[in-house]
Amino acid sequence: MIELIHVSKSYGNKPAVSDLNLTIQPGELFAFLGPNGAGKTTTIKMMCGLLFPTEGTIRIAGFDLVERGEEARQQISYVPDTPFLYEKLTGRELLQFVADMYQMPPDKATKKITEMIELFSLESFVDDLTQNYSHGMRQRTVFASALVHEPLVLIVDEPTVGLDPRSIRLLKDVLRNETRRGATVFLSTHSLDIAEQLSDRIGVINNGKLIGCGTLDELRQRADLHGSLEDVFLKMTEEDATPAPTGDKAIETAITT
């Protein structure tokens, strides 16, 4: 479970996220949408423990990220938009490293590594150094390493960038399977069709504030528009548009002023 309670984050006097309240249940796939600079990246970094909120509380699986950060982070896997790998390790060595880091029993680790290699079709390159991987190979390996320890919370940022249609289909199946085993999946994406297909609920953030949250039908009612998620999203964010620099854009503004 993910809980954000009156969470705000400012850079100097520039707000990036303002009074964000959100609860995401086990087994739920939650899509987090917003224009560039809306506050998505700041929110994700706070949920991963990479940033602390200026105000408010974040709990992961019941653990406060500030007071019990190590325990909270043990429950999380984070897949960033740009896949990062230790380039002097092979894919198999990376998976083993992650299993060891999370103190998985050796027998279970060996079984899960084999499962991940098969699931993401890594067999042909898993014993090569990751420095030689293509973007698609890197993305598949990153997902395998994120899931090998069976996290309770999976946070995914723009996972389909650079993937071919077959890999995108696999990713969709993997994300739904994660929710079936009871994991909470937090998906940040600009791919509105994928969000519409996969999500149980959708949150829309703009200018650092959550301007809508619910099922697609509930967002349609909020926007007073019966259309696709793309239509609803565009109407909600256009109605909420303001000239003030907030959200992640506030970081750049704060640095340059």
Side-chain angles (χ1 to χ4, degrees):
M1 175 192 284
I2 301 171
E3 296 176 275
L4 293 91
I5 305 166
H6 297 298
V7 170
S8 297
K9 178 65 178 178
S10 297
Y11 299 91
N13 62 351
K14 305 294 184 181
V17 174
S18 300
D19 197 28
L20 179 57
N21 290 281
L22 190 60
T23 299
I24 308 170
Q25 300 292 345
E28 182 176 5
L29 197 156
F30 185 86
F32 195 52
L33 312 179
N36 291 333
K40 301 189 301 298
T41 298
T42 295
T43 300
I44 288 172
K45 287 184 176 180
M46 288 192 290
M47 288 167 49
C48 293
L50 300 174
L51 291 173
F52 286 153
T54 306
E55 297 178 2
T57 300
I58 301 175
R59 297 192 187 104
I60 303 293
F63 298 110
D64 188 301
L65 258 172
V66 174
E67 297 178 356
R68 303 179 68 179
E70 183 175 349
E71 294 158 296
R73 284 187 284 271
Q74 285 284 324
Q75 317 306 320
I76 300 171
S77 271
Y78 170 45
V79 181
D81 55 348
T82 302
F84 172 81
L85 299 172
Y86 295 103
E87 298 200 337
K88 296 305 179 182
L89 297 180
T90 67
R92 191 185 304 274
E93 289 170 340
L94 175 66
L95 294 175
Q96 185 64 59
F97 170 74
V98 173
D100 292 344
M101 184 173 63
Y102 284 94
Q103 301 179 333
M104 295 179 68
D107 290 348
K108 182 176 182 181
T110 299
K111 180 181 178 182
K112 285 299 296 183
I113 288 170
T114 300
E115 288 179 6
M116 292 298 102
I117 291 172
E118 293 176 354
L119 177 62
F120 290 98
S121 300
L122 310 181
E123 296 92 340
S124 64
F125 56 84
V126 71
D127 292 307
D128 298 335
L129 291 177
T130 61
Q131 67 183 9
N132 300 318
Y133 288 7
S134 68
H135 180 86
M137 293 158 67
R138 285 172 174 267
Q139 195 80 326
R140 285 149 60 192
T141 303
V142 164
F143 263 99
S145 66
L147 299 180
V148 71
H149 70 286
E150 299 180 335
L152 293 180
V153 174
L154 178 63
I155 300 172
V156 187
D157 190 6
E158 295 295 345
T160 61
V161 174
L163 294 184
D164 58 46
R166 184 179 297 276
S167 296
I168 291 174
R169 176 59 183 271
L170 171 62
L171 176 61
K172 292 178 183 178
D173 293 341
V174 166
L175 294 180
R176 286 310 324 179
N177 285 337
E178 285 300 295
T179 62
R180 292 188 188 101
R181 74 168 178 86
T184 302
V185 177
F186 185 96
L187 171 64
S188 175
T189 182
H190 287 301
S191 300
L192 301 184
D193 56 336
I194 291 177
E196 185 168 353
Q197 292 169 24
L198 293 181
S199 60
D200 298 304
R201 286 191 304 146
I202 301 161
V204 181
I205 188 172
N206 198 27
N207 297 314
K209 297 181 179 180
L210 193 67
I211 61 172
C213 184
T215 65
L216 177 55
D217 284 340
E218 288 170 339
L219 292 182
R220 284 170 174 152
Q221 293 178 13
R222 158 75 173 76
D224 192 24
L225 176 68
H226 187 78
S228 67
L229 177 57
E230 179 181 19
D231 295 332
V232 172
F233 172 81
L234 290 174
K235 182 176 181 182
M236 290 178 65
T237 52
E238 286 169 1
E239 288 177 346
D240 188 67
T242 66
T246 57
D248 294 324
K249 186 66 175 176
I251 303 172
E252 178 184 344
T253 306
I255 292 172
T256 57
T257 57

